[in-house]
């Protein structure tokens, strides 16, 4: 079984990747800082969920290329 993420996390993650292309990397720690910088996420838990999903998407894009 994989992780199930809410549509909010997915939508915000995809919007951040589209609006800031090339900024996010496969490093979770770096993505956490960028998410808190570029978005208005109110909680640490939600920030980490978004950063983790962004990390996953970036890794998937790198494997496809």
């Amino acid at each position: 079984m994989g992780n199930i993420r809410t549509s909010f996390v997915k939508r915000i993650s995809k919007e951040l990747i589209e609006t800031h292309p090339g900024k996010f990397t496969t490093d979770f720690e770096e993505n956490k800082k960028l998410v808190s910088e570029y978005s208005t996420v109110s909680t640490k838990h939600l920030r980490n969920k978004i950063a983790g999903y962004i990390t996953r998407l970036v890794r998937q894009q790198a494997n496809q290329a």
Side-chain angles (χ1 to χ4, degrees):
M1 295 291 290
N3 292 330
I4 298 174
R5 292 178 180 85
T6 62
S7 59
F8 177 75
V9 169
K10 292 180 180 182
R11 182 175 52 85
I12 294 295
S13 300
K14 290 174 185 173
E15 285 176 5
L16 285 173
I17 288 175
E18 288 174 7
T19 56
H20 305 286
K23 296 278 187 183
F24 294 100
T25 65
T26 57
D27 182 29
F28 173 72
E29 296 297 325
E30 181 66 27
N31 289 342
K32 277 198 313 189
K33 294 174 188 172
L34 292 172
V35 167
S36 61
E37 188 177 316
Y38 293 136
S39 69
T40 58
V41 177
S42 56
T43 63
K44 187 189 322 183
H45 180 73
L46 192 55
R47 180 200 66 199
N48 289 347
K49 289 259 191 205
I50 293 170
Y53 190 61
I54 287 175
T55 303
R56 180 178 174 89
L57 290 176
V58 170
R59 284 184 184 157
Q60 285 177 350
Q61 288 175 354
N63 286 341
Q64 289 176 356

